[in-house]
Amino acid sequence: MTDTPAPGSDAPDTDATPRCGLIAIVGRPNVGKSTLLNALVGQKISITSRKAQTTRHRITGIRTLGATQFIFVDTPGFQTKEIRGRTALNRNLNRTVTSVLGDVDVVLFMVEAGRFSLDDAKVLALLPPDKPVFLVANKLDVVARRTDILPWLKSMQERHPFTEYVPMSSTKPTDVERLFKIVEPYLPQQPWLHEEDALTDRSDKFMAAELIREKLFRLTGDELPYSATVVIDKYEEEGNLRRIAATIVVERDAHKGMVIGDGGERLKRIGSETRVELEKLTDSKVFLELWVKVRSGWADSEEHLRSYGYE
């Protein structure tokens, strides 16, 4: 006699038909897309901060539950500035969003519960009409009166023929589990694309650059414009040791000073906090060197973007 897996168990159901599909998480900046992705995967794979445009790349998170493999794609927040105000970086981020929408099976359109702005409307206008689109109304836990949500949901029904409506909080485990159950029937019946225990298709080298950038943005607050990036110059594995050298690229000399801080203290803190997280992520000892360089106009140069790893 075999035990039946408990609801929400990761144990595969060998009798069930396998399902596997790609699910895009889209929305304007700062609605909680990366936080949701991390909650869905069960581990931090997408960096977060209060600064807009923290997510720069297509980040894939993988979670296999029972016979179903969910492949979530976190996207940059779509930039809604006028064309003349966009840099090459902004255009690159928007291309990432639109290319993802063409590849996926399901779209999670994320907004803040009870709110719908002009920027939200611009993102909604991009969504494909031929794919299931779920309205994920995040941050339900901060809504003062839940009774206000019902008329808001009715108004959203008039904006788009959403396949499903999911009011939730991405920090609440029961809400995250419910989202899995809602999405599952819409995924194609087909073999898995990744190993059962896979969490992301991104390399440790990529994750190192992302974690450095997260600490950079968190520790500089609003001082540093978001046009700063991180380039990994060296990533070497020696048994249980990782030797990493990275360069933080900024646009102005004044920005370099902000990153380094008085007596180099801020740069040291960025390095130490990154090292602690990398050691947890890789389960190894990490030796990290950080440098800061000025590259004026890099965010408006397609050549620089390609050399820095932007797709």
mmCIF file of all heavy atoms in Angstrom, residues 140-173:
data_model
loop_
_atom_site.group_PDB
_atom_site.id
_atom_site.type_symbol
_atom_site.label_atom_id
_atom_site.label_comp_id
_atom_site.label_asym_id
_atom_site.label_seq_id
_atom_site.Cartn_x
_atom_site.Cartn_y
_atom_site.Cartn_z
ATOM 1 N N LEU A 140 -3.332 42.393 -1.220
ATOM 2 C CA LEU A 140 -4.680 42.420 -0.653
ATOM 3 C C LEU A 140 -4.633 42.678 0.856
ATOM 4 O O LEU A 140 -5.567 43.256 1.427
ATOM 5 C CB LEU A 140 -5.382 41.085 -0.940
ATOM 6 C CG LEU A 140 -6.843 40.962 -0.514
ATOM 7 C CD1 LEU A 140 -7.716 41.943 -1.286
ATOM 8 C CD2 LEU A 140 -7.334 39.526 -0.733
ATOM 9 N N ASP A 141 -3.520 42.285 1.476
ATOM 10 C CA ASP A 141 -3.394 42.430 2.927
ATOM 11 C C ASP A 141 -3.327 43.879 3.391
ATOM 12 O O ASP A 141 -3.550 44.160 4.573
ATOM 13 C CB ASP A 141 -2.158 41.681 3.431
ATOM 14 C CG ASP A 141 -0.894 42.066 2.681
ATOM 15 O OD1 ASP A 141 -0.969 42.232 1.445
ATOM 16 O OD2 ASP A 141 0.162 42.216 3.312
ATOM 17 N N VAL A 142 -3.030 44.815 2.479
ATOM 18 C CA VAL A 142 -2.937 46.228 2.882
ATOM 19 C C VAL A 142 -4.194 47.018 2.512
ATOM 20 O O VAL A 142 -4.254 48.229 2.735
ATOM 21 C CB VAL A 142 -1.693 46.907 2.262
ATOM 22 C CG1 VAL A 142 -0.429 46.224 2.733
ATOM 23 C CG2 VAL A 142 -1.761 46.921 0.737
ATOM 24 N N VAL A 143 -5.197 46.337 1.939
ATOM 25 C CA VAL A 143 -6.456 47.008 1.620
ATOM 26 C C VAL A 143 -7.248 47.203 2.915
ATOM 27 O O VAL A 143 -7.510 46.245 3.646
ATOM 28 C CB VAL A 143 -7.283 46.191 0.610
ATOM 29 C CG1 VAL A 143 -8.646 46.828 0.388
ATOM 30 C CG2 VAL A 143 -6.522 46.055 -0.716
ATOM 31 N N ALA A 144 -7.603 48.435 3.192
ATOM 32 C CA ALA A 144 -8.270 48.756 4.467
ATOM 33 C C ALA A 144 -9.632 48.090 4.586
ATOM 34 O O ALA A 144 -9.964 47.507 5.617
ATOM 35 C CB ALA A 144 -8.393 50.275 4.614
ATOM 36 N N ARG A 145 -10.429 48.171 3.523
ATOM 37 C CA ARG A 145 -11.779 47.598 3.562
ATOM 38 C C ARG A 145 -11.955 46.621 2.403
ATOM 39 O O ARG A 145 -11.954 47.026 1.238
ATOM 40 C CB ARG A 145 -12.831 48.701 3.479
ATOM 41 C CG ARG A 145 -12.831 49.668 4.670
ATOM 42 C CD ARG A 145 -14.026 50.601 4.640
ATOM 43 N NE ARG A 145 -14.124 51.341 3.391
ATOM 44 C CZ ARG A 145 -15.160 52.140 3.074
ATOM 45 N NH1 ARG A 145 -16.186 52.250 3.911
ATOM 46 N NH2 ARG A 145 -15.161 52.799 1.930
ATOM 47 N N ARG A 146 -12.106 45.337 2.741
ATOM 48 C CA ARG A 146 -12.231 44.315 1.697
ATOM 49 C C ARG A 146 -13.490 44.507 0.859
ATOM 50 O O ARG A 146 -13.545 44.069 -0.290
ATOM 51 C CB ARG A 146 -12.241 42.918 2.337
ATOM 52 C CG ARG A 146 -10.962 42.582 3.087
ATOM 53 C CD ARG A 146 -9.782 42.450 2.147
ATOM 54 N NE ARG A 146 -8.543 42.229 2.862
ATOM 55 C CZ ARG A 146 -8.063 41.036 3.193
ATOM 56 N NH1 ARG A 146 -8.760 39.948 2.883
ATOM 57 N NH2 ARG A 146 -6.928 40.904 3.829
ATOM 58 N N THR A 147 -14.496 45.165 1.418
ATOM 59 C CA THR A 147 -15.735 45.370 0.652
ATOM 60 C C THR A 147 -15.510 46.283 -0.550
ATOM 61 O O THR A 147 -16.305 46.274 -1.491
ATOM 62 C CB THR A 147 -16.820 45.991 1.559
ATOM 63 O OG1 THR A 147 -16.290 47.182 2.180
ATOM 64 C CG2 THR A 147 -17.259 45.004 2.627
ATOM 65 N N ASP A 148 -14.421 47.060 -0.519
ATOM 66 C CA ASP A 148 -14.114 47.941 -1.652
ATOM 67 C C ASP A 148 -13.611 47.154 -2.860
ATOM 68 O O ASP A 148 -13.606 47.676 -3.983
ATOM 69 C CB ASP A 148 -13.053 48.972 -1.251
ATOM 70 C CG ASP A 148 -13.563 49.962 -0.207
ATOM 71 O OD1 ASP A 148 -14.797 50.079 -0.081
ATOM 72 O OD2 ASP A 148 -12.730 50.608 0.462
ATOM 73 N N ILE A 149 -13.159 45.913 -2.633
ATOM 74 C CA ILE A 149 -12.570 45.133 -3.713
ATOM 75 C C ILE A 149 -13.633 44.662 -4.716
ATOM 76 O O ILE A 149 -13.376 44.594 -5.924
ATOM 77 C CB ILE A 149 -11.800 43.931 -3.143
ATOM 78 C CG1 ILE A 149 -10.578 44.411 -2.356
ATOM 79 C CG2 ILE A 149 -11.353 42.977 -4.252
ATOM 80 C CD1 ILE A 149 -9.569 45.174 -3.198
ATOM 81 N N LEU A 150 -14.841 44.351 -4.242
ATOM 82 C CA LEU A 150 -15.865 43.828 -5.153
ATOM 83 C C LEU A 150 -16.230 44.797 -6.269
ATOM 84 O O LEU A 150 -16.230 44.409 -7.443
ATOM 85 C CB LEU A 150 -17.101 43.415 -4.352
ATOM 86 C CG LEU A 150 -16.913 42.186 -3.450
ATOM 87 C CD1 LEU A 150 -18.186 41.900 -2.665
ATOM 88 C CD2 LEU A 150 -16.532 40.963 -4.293
ATOM 89 N N PRO A 151 -16.537 46.088 -5.973
ATOM 90 C CA PRO A 151 -16.814 47.004 -7.079
ATOM 91 C C PRO A 151 -15.593 47.236 -7.970
ATOM 92 O O PRO A 151 -15.739 47.443 -9.187
ATOM 93 C CB PRO A 151 -17.252 48.298 -6.378
ATOM 94 C CG PRO A 151 -16.807 48.165 -4.964
ATOM 95 C CD PRO A 151 -16.793 46.705 -4.663
ATOM 96 N N TRP A 152 -14.402 47.185 -7.367
ATOM 97 C CA TRP A 152 -13.177 47.346 -8.171
ATOM 98 C C TRP A 152 -13.022 46.176 -9.137
ATOM 99 O O TRP A 152 -12.696 46.376 -10.319
ATOM 100 C CB TRP A 152 -11.976 47.454 -7.235
ATOM 101 C CG TRP A 152 -10.662 47.523 -7.964
ATOM 102 C CD1 TRP A 152 -10.106 48.620 -8.561
ATOM 103 C CD2 TRP A 152 -9.748 46.444 -8.184
ATOM 104 N NE1 TRP A 152 -8.903 48.291 -9.127
ATOM 105 C CE2 TRP A 152 -8.657 46.959 -8.915
ATOM 106 C CE3 TRP A 152 -9.740 45.095 -7.826
ATOM 107 C CZ2 TRP A 152 -7.576 46.171 -9.291
ATOM 108 C CZ3 TRP A 152 -8.669 44.301 -8.201
ATOM 109 C CH2 TRP A 152 -7.600 44.849 -8.933
ATOM 110 N N LEU A 153 -13.261 44.961 -8.660
ATOM 111 C CA LEU A 153 -13.180 43.795 -9.533
ATOM 112 C C LEU A 153 -14.192 43.876 -10.674
ATOM 113 O O LEU A 153 -13.900 43.499 -11.811
ATOM 114 C CB LEU A 153 -13.412 42.514 -8.724
ATOM 115 C CG LEU A 153 -12.255 42.012 -7.875
ATOM 116 C CD1 LEU A 153 -12.697 40.828 -7.024
ATOM 117 C CD2 LEU A 153 -11.061 41.627 -8.747
ATOM 118 N N LYS A 154 -15.376 44.388 -10.374
ATOM 119 C CA LYS A 154 -16.395 44.548 -11.422
ATOM 120 C C LYS A 154 -15.912 45.521 -12.490
ATOM 121 O O LYS A 154 -16.110 45.293 -13.687
ATOM 122 C CB LYS A 154 -17.703 45.033 -10.807
ATOM 123 C CG LYS A 154 -18.841 45.112 -11.810
ATOM 124 C CD LYS A 154 -20.152 45.515 -11.155
ATOM 125 C CE LYS A 154 -21.274 45.574 -12.176
ATOM 126 N NZ LYS A 154 -22.567 45.970 -11.557
ATOM 127 N N SER A 155 -15.260 46.601 -12.059
ATOM 128 C CA SER A 155 -14.733 47.575 -13.033
ATOM 129 C C SER A 155 -13.618 46.955 -13.874
ATOM 130 O O SER A 155 -13.471 47.269 -15.060
ATOM 131 C CB SER A 155 -14.211 48.824 -12.315
ATOM 132 O OG SER A 155 -13.027 48.552 -11.591
ATOM 133 N N MET A 156 -12.828 46.040 -13.265
ATOM 134 C CA MET A 156 -11.761 45.375 -14.014
ATOM 135 C C MET A 156 -12.333 44.412 -15.050
ATOM 136 O O MET A 156 -11.751 44.224 -16.128
ATOM 137 C CB MET A 156 -10.833 44.636 -13.043
ATOM 138 C CG MET A 156 -10.054 45.542 -12.090
ATOM 139 S SD MET A 156 -9.019 46.766 -12.938
ATOM 140 C CE MET A 156 -7.856 45.702 -13.785
ATOM 141 N N GLN A 157 -13.474 43.799 -14.748
ATOM 142 C CA GLN A 157 -14.127 42.914 -15.707
ATOM 143 C C GLN A 157 -14.504 43.660 -16.980
ATOM 144 O O GLN A 157 -14.520 43.086 -18.072
ATOM 145 C CB GLN A 157 -15.378 42.294 -15.076
ATOM 146 C CG GLN A 157 -15.091 41.298 -13.972
ATOM 147 C CD GLN A 157 -16.356 40.826 -13.275
ATOM 148 O OE1 GLN A 157 -17.453 41.284 -13.589
ATOM 149 N NE2 GLN A 157 -16.213 39.918 -12.321
ATOM 150 N N GLU A 158 -14.798 44.936 -16.830
ATOM 151 C CA GLU A 158 -15.184 45.751 -17.982
ATOM 152 C C GLU A 158 -13.969 46.185 -18.801
ATOM 153 O O GLU A 158 -14.106 46.585 -19.958
ATOM 154 C CB GLU A 158 -15.958 46.982 -17.497
ATOM 155 C CG GLU A 158 -17.275 46.625 -16.803
ATOM 156 C CD GLU A 158 -17.907 47.812 -16.106
ATOM 157 O OE1 GLU A 158 -17.279 48.899 -16.096
ATOM 158 O OE2 GLU A 158 -19.026 47.668 -15.561
ATOM 159 N N ARG A 159 -12.787 46.110 -18.213
ATOM 160 C CA ARG A 159 -11.572 46.530 -18.917
ATOM 161 C C ARG A 159 -10.998 45.443 -19.811
ATOM 162 O O ARG A 159 -10.399 45.721 -20.846
ATOM 163 C CB ARG A 159 -10.491 46.953 -17.906
ATOM 164 C CG ARG A 159 -10.835 48.196 -17.111
ATOM 165 C CD ARG A 159 -9.702 48.559 -16.159
ATOM 166 N NE ARG A 159 -10.043 49.686 -15.321
ATOM 167 C CZ ARG A 159 -9.940 50.961 -15.668
ATOM 168 N NH1 ARG A 159 -9.508 51.272 -16.890
ATOM 169 N NH2 ARG A 159 -10.274 51.926 -14.834
ATOM 170 N N HIS A 160 -11.173 44.165 -19.372
ATOM 171 C CA HIS A 160 -10.552 43.067 -20.118
ATOM 172 C C HIS A 160 -11.274 41.756 -19.769
ATOM 173 O O HIS A 160 -11.655 41.557 -18.623
ATOM 174 C CB HIS A 160 -9.067 42.953 -19.746
ATOM 175 C CG HIS A 160 -8.312 41.957 -20.583
ATOM 176 N ND1 HIS A 160 -7.729 42.279 -21.786
ATOM 177 C CD2 HIS A 160 -8.041 40.637 -20.373
ATOM 178 C CE1 HIS A 160 -7.129 41.216 -22.281
ATOM 179 N NE2 HIS A 160 -7.316 40.207 -21.446
ATOM 180 N N PRO A 161 -11.425 40.856 -20.731
ATOM 181 C CA PRO A 161 -12.058 39.560 -20.434
ATOM 182 C C PRO A 161 -11.076 38.596 -19.766
ATOM 183 O O PRO A 161 -10.629 37.617 -20.359
ATOM 184 C CB PRO A 161 -12.486 39.058 -21.820
ATOM 185 C CG PRO A 161 -11.481 39.660 -22.755
ATOM 186 C CD PRO A 161 -11.152 41.013 -22.177
ATOM 187 N N PHE A 162 -10.719 38.892 -18.515
ATOM 188 C CA PHE A 162 -9.757 38.054 -17.795
ATOM 189 C C PHE A 162 -10.299 36.632 -17.635
ATOM 190 O O PHE A 162 -11.491 36.422 -17.383
ATOM 191 C CB PHE A 162 -9.449 38.654 -16.420
ATOM 192 C CG PHE A 162 -8.717 39.953 -16.481
ATOM 193 C CD1 PHE A 162 -9.377 41.161 -16.220
ATOM 194 C CD2 PHE A 162 -7.365 39.996 -16.798
ATOM 195 C CE1 PHE A 162 -8.697 42.369 -16.273
ATOM 196 C CE2 PHE A 162 -6.672 41.200 -16.845
ATOM 197 C CZ PHE A 162 -7.345 42.390 -16.588
ATOM 198 N N THR A 163 -9.406 35.673 -17.754
ATOM 199 C CA THR A 163 -9.780 34.274 -17.609
ATOM 200 C C THR A 163 -10.078 33.933 -16.158
ATOM 201 O O THR A 163 -11.003 33.168 -15.864
ATOM 202 C CB THR A 163 -8.644 33.371 -18.132
ATOM 203 O OG1 THR A 163 -8.326 33.747 -19.480
ATOM 204 C CG2 THR A 163 -9.045 31.904 -18.096
ATOM 205 N N GLU A 164 -9.281 34.476 -15.240
ATOM 206 C CA GLU A 164 -9.460 34.240 -13.815
ATOM 207 C C GLU A 164 -9.140 35.524 -13.054
ATOM 208 O O GLU A 164 -8.359 36.361 -13.528
ATOM 209 C CB GLU A 164 -8.523 33.125 -13.309
ATOM 210 C CG GLU A 164 -8.737 31.759 -13.939
ATOM 211 C CD GLU A 164 -9.896 31.009 -13.301
ATOM 212 O OE1 GLU A 164 -10.500 31.534 -12.333
ATOM 213 O OE2 GLU A 164 -10.184 29.877 -13.752
ATOM 214 N N TYR A 165 -9.728 35.660 -11.857
ATOM 215 C CA TYR A 165 -9.470 36.805 -10.979
ATOM 216 C C TYR A 165 -8.907 36.251 -9.669
ATOM 217 O O TYR A 165 -9.542 35.408 -9.021
ATOM 218 C CB TYR A 165 -10.753 37.593 -10.708
ATOM 219 C CG TYR A 165 -11.348 38.171 -11.970
ATOM 220 C CD1 TYR A 165 -12.183 37.395 -12.786
ATOM 221 C CD2 TYR A 165 -11.078 39.476 -12.368
ATOM 222 C CE1 TYR A 165 -12.720 37.906 -13.962
ATOM 223 C CE2 TYR A 165 -11.618 40.005 -13.542
ATOM 224 C CZ TYR A 165 -12.423 39.207 -14.327
ATOM 225 O OH TYR A 165 -12.949 39.726 -15.490
ATOM 226 N N VAL A 166 -7.715 36.724 -9.302
ATOM 227 C CA VAL A 166 -7.035 36.160 -8.133
ATOM 228 C C VAL A 166 -6.593 37.267 -7.173
ATOM 229 O O VAL A 166 -5.455 37.731 -7.220
ATOM 230 C CB VAL A 166 -5.808 35.323 -8.556
ATOM 231 C CG1 VAL A 166 -5.287 34.506 -7.368
ATOM 232 C CG2 VAL A 166 -6.122 34.412 -9.732
ATOM 233 N N PRO A 167 -7.470 37.734 -6.292
ATOM 234 C CA PRO A 167 -7.040 38.654 -5.233
ATOM 235 C C PRO A 167 -6.162 37.876 -4.241
ATOM 236 O O PRO A 167 -6.526 36.779 -3.828
ATOM 237 C CB PRO A 167 -8.352 39.096 -4.575
ATOM 238 C CG PRO A 167 -9.436 38.710 -5.550
ATOM 239 C CD PRO A 167 -8.922 37.496 -6.247
ATOM 240 N N MET A 168 -5.000 38.435 -3.879
ATOM 241 C CA MET A 168 -4.088 37.673 -3.033
ATOM 242 C C MET A 168 -3.017 38.564 -2.415
ATOM 243 O O MET A 168 -2.902 39.756 -2.755
ATOM 244 C CB MET A 168 -3.390 36.582 -3.848
ATOM 245 C CG MET A 168 -2.455 37.129 -4.932
ATOM 246 S SD MET A 168 -1.516 35.824 -5.775
ATOM 247 C CE MET A 168 -0.477 35.210 -4.448
ATOM 248 N N SER A 169 -2.242 37.984 -1.561
ATOM 249 C CA SER A 169 -1.020 38.598 -1.057
ATOM 250 C C SER A 169 0.118 37.627 -1.318
ATOM 251 O O SER A 169 0.056 36.472 -0.896
ATOM 252 C CB SER A 169 -1.121 38.886 0.439
ATOM 253 O OG SER A 169 0.136 39.274 0.955
ATOM 254 N N SER A 170 1.149 38.069 -2.025
ATOM 255 C CA SER A 170 2.249 37.170 -2.382
ATOM 256 C C SER A 170 3.074 36.748 -1.173
ATOM 257 O O SER A 170 3.905 35.842 -1.273
ATOM 258 C CB SER A 170 3.154 37.827 -3.424
ATOM 259 O OG SER A 170 3.675 39.043 -2.935
ATOM 260 N N THR A 171 2.850 37.389 -0.025
ATOM 261 C CA THR A 171 3.564 37.007 1.197
ATOM 262 C C THR A 171 2.788 35.998 2.034
ATOM 263 O O THR A 171 3.254 35.575 3.089
ATOM 264 C CB THR A 171 3.856 38.254 2.065
ATOM 265 O OG1 THR A 171 2.617 38.884 2.414
ATOM 266 C CG2 THR A 171 4.728 39.250 1.297
ATOM 267 N N LYS A 172 1.610 35.596 1.558
ATOM 268 C CA LYS A 172 0.768 34.664 2.304
ATOM 269 C C LYS A 172 0.831 33.285 1.640
ATOM 270 O O LYS A 172 0.344 33.107 0.519
ATOM 271 C CB LYS A 172 -0.673 35.175 2.322
ATOM 272 C CG LYS A 172 -1.587 34.441 3.280
ATOM 273 C CD LYS A 172 -2.952 35.116 3.337
ATOM 274 C CE LYS A 172 -3.892 34.370 4.295
ATOM 275 N NZ LYS A 172 -5.224 35.027 4.330
ATOM 276 N N PRO A 173 1.419 32.285 2.305
ATOM 277 C CA PRO A 173 1.608 30.960 1.685
ATOM 278 C C PRO A 173 0.323 30.314 1.170
ATOM 279 O O PRO A 173 0.343 29.675 0.113
ATOM 280 C CB PRO A 173 2.218 30.132 2.822
ATOM 281 C CG PRO A 173 2.921 31.132 3.679
ATOM 282 C CD PRO A 173 2.054 32.361 3.635
#
